[in-house]
Amino acid sequence: MTLALRGEKLTRTFRSAAGDVHACVDIDIEVAEGELVVVRGSSGAGKTTLLNLLGGLDQPTSGRVWIGDVEATALDEDELARVRRERLGFVFQSFGLIPIMSAAENVELPLRIAKTAPAERDRRVAEALRLVGLADHAAQRPGELSGGQQQRVGIARAIAVRPHVLIADEPTGQLDSRTAATVMDLIGDLVHSQGLAAVVSTHDPLLVQRADRVIELHDGRVTSVGGHAPAGPGPADEASGPADASDDAEGPSEDAPHPPRTRAEAREQRHTDG
């Protein structure tokens, strides 16, 4: 097992007029290549703080973070920015797309910032959109896409830089349950097929079933760690590729079946719908 991300004794304390707020307390976490770890907890449990610490977006009050073999907490701001740019991909609840840019231009943006050569940019953008099932929507702007499609663009943007680690903070928080399940299946498929390490925060119990491992947080502390055995893709799933982008264009009707509760059930439902 090759570790892609590791946090050791991570503590983050915020000062306030009412006293200290302990958002994270002595958290140990390891994420291997090809592993999808879900961080679960109610609002205020410390999920976002933990992800920000792991992604180098915030500094711990104490503790250390390694991204691969690099100790991120020992780097200066310039070095840390370079590691984030080269090794990490971020997916946000609010999608974070630029409205005036097309899907392809949004995906291309971090590659421009990294000064990737134009031909290589074009190739990576096309590949990322294909992987999330949006190759035919490259020219559309965010306002012309459904919520699920916009989040797929956000995922494409994150993986276009070919990160070692994918960090997603409540990536399905603005989606209906069926679209959310589809997006989580997509993230899981990318993790396992591309060998990414992924940390995803959620409070949705249905989405937890997609995880390889689940870490439960309460008041900034890890209260339990559990695992699931995700169903591996069969030959039919490998041949089908990502779900068609039209799958999430509309929300579920009143007589729609229940949202899928496992990765295998989600794939079976997509085949049935198709």
Side-chain angles (χ1 to χ4, degrees):
M1 179 180 72
T2 301
L3 290 181
L5 182 66
R6 179 161 64 99
E8 179 184 277
K9 299 296 181 187
L10 292 176
T11 295
R12 183 66 169 98
T13 302
F14 295 95
R15 311 291 182 185
S16 73
D20 291 347
V21 177
H22 303 290
C24 289
V25 181
D26 287 338
I27 293 178
D28 293 323
I29 182 172
E30 295 181 344
V31 187
E33 293 178 357
E35 183 180 29
L36 172 56
V37 173
V38 163
V39 179
R40 181 186 183 188
S42 59
S43 179
K47 303 187 301 296
T48 296
T49 299
L50 176 59
L51 264 61
N52 286 344
L53 296 176
L54 294 173
L57 301 177
D58 191 12
Q59 288 292 318
T61 304
S62 62
R64 297 189 290 176
V65 174
W66 284 266
I67 301 171
D69 58 356
V70 175
E71 185 183 345
T73 41
L75 303 178
D76 62 30
E77 283 297 324
D78 290 340
E79 292 172 326
L80 182 57
R82 179 182 56 78
V83 169
R84 281 198 304 262
R85 187 169 60 245
E86 295 177 354
R87 300 197 179 197
L88 301 178
F90 295 91
V91 179
F92 305 101
Q93 177 180 344
S94 60
F95 309 150
L97 304 180
I98 299 175
I100 62 171
M101 289 185 171
S102 68
E105 289 168 340
N106 271 281
V107 174
E108 183 186 33
L109 187 58
L111 298 174
R112 283 184 173 272
I113 294 172
K115 298 181 179 179
T116 305
E120 178 67 9
R121 287 202 309 263
D122 291 345
R123 192 170 69 82
R124 291 199 194 183
V125 168
E127 178 185 41
L129 288 172
R130 177 185 60 79
L131 286 171
V132 302
L134 291 178
D136 294 334
H137 298 264
Q140 290 182 269
R141 294 181 180 180
E144 299 170 324
L145 301 171
S146 70
Q149 289 170 333
Q150 289 183 58
Q151 191 57 293
R152 291 189 192 193
V153 175
I155 294 170
R157 179 182 57 194
I159 64 173
V161 298
R162 295 183 178 170
H164 299 186
V165 179
L166 183 68
I167 294 178
D169 189 12
E170 296 279 7
T172 61
Q174 296 193 39
L175 306 176
D176 65 77
S177 58
R178 289 190 66 182
T179 305
T182 300
V183 167
M184 279 298 290
D185 275 338
L186 170 61
I187 291 175
D189 290 342
L190 289 171
V191 167
H192 299 136
S193 65
Q194 304 294 312
L196 295 173
V199 186
V200 180
S201 71
T202 186
H203 62 270
D204 188 334
L206 293 178
L207 305 186
V208 171
Q209 300 301 319
R210 273 79 179 163
D212 298 322
R213 191 153 45 93
V214 180
I215 295 174
E216 189 91 28
L217 290 186
H218 181 71
D219 290 339
R221 298 178 182 271
V222 174
T223 57
S224 68
V225 179
H228 293 281
D237 299 310
E238 292 172 351
S240 64
D244 186 86
S246 62
D247 287 352
D248 53 29
E250 299 292 338
S253 62
E254 292 182 0
D255 59 351
H258 66 74
R261 287 184 284 267
T262 65
R263 288 168 54 81
E265 186 176 331
R267 286 194 293 268
E268 180 179 352
Q269 184 167 309
R270 289 204 300 272
H271 288 313
T272 301
D273 291 345

